[in-house]
Amino acid sequence: MTRQRVRLNPKNDFLFQRLFGEKESKESTISLLNAILGLNDEEWIKDLVLLENKQLTKEQLQDKAGRLDVRAGL
């Protein structure tokens, strides 16, 4: 019996959080941000801190609550 390879979609929220939002994946997150932002060698992000609190607070009563997949500080 042959096994089929399953291709995972990194745009899936759960998978994206696992790939880029955890301490163990810090280097991958840095690489992703450098690639997306198109930074040159001198501007590259070299380190960041992945923050635990990913919940966004409402600023006004009518605002919706939000949750980030990845929250980091430079």
Side-chain angles (χ1 to χ4, degrees):
M1 183 164 108
T2 60
R3 294 179 68 180
Q4 288 185 340
R5 288 188 175 198
V6 176
R7 184 173 216 156
L8 300 175
N9 182 355
K11 292 187 282 184
N12 173 284
D13 282 343
F14 176 78
L15 185 57
F16 189 89
Q17 288 174 23
R18 297 288 298 181
L19 288 172
F20 301 108
E22 301 200 356
K23 292 176 184 173
E24 299 81 19
S25 60
K26 183 170 120 174
E27 293 301 318
S28 296
T29 306
I30 291 171
S31 296
L32 176 70
L33 290 172
N34 284 328
I36 289 172
L37 297 172
L39 302 175
N40 64 40
D41 292 346
E42 295 172 6
E43 299 173 316
W44 271 16
I45 298 169
K46 294 169 183 59
D47 194 23
L48 58 79
V49 177
L50 291 168
L51 304 173
E52 294 295 322
N53 183 5
K54 298 176 184 175
Q55 196 70 32
L56 299 175
T57 57
K58 296 180 180 185
E59 292 184 9
Q60 297 188 13
L61 186 60
Q62 68 272 17
D63 289 346
K64 291 184 178 183
R67 179 158 171 54
L68 302 172
D69 291 335
V70 177
R71 184 173 183 194
L74 299 175

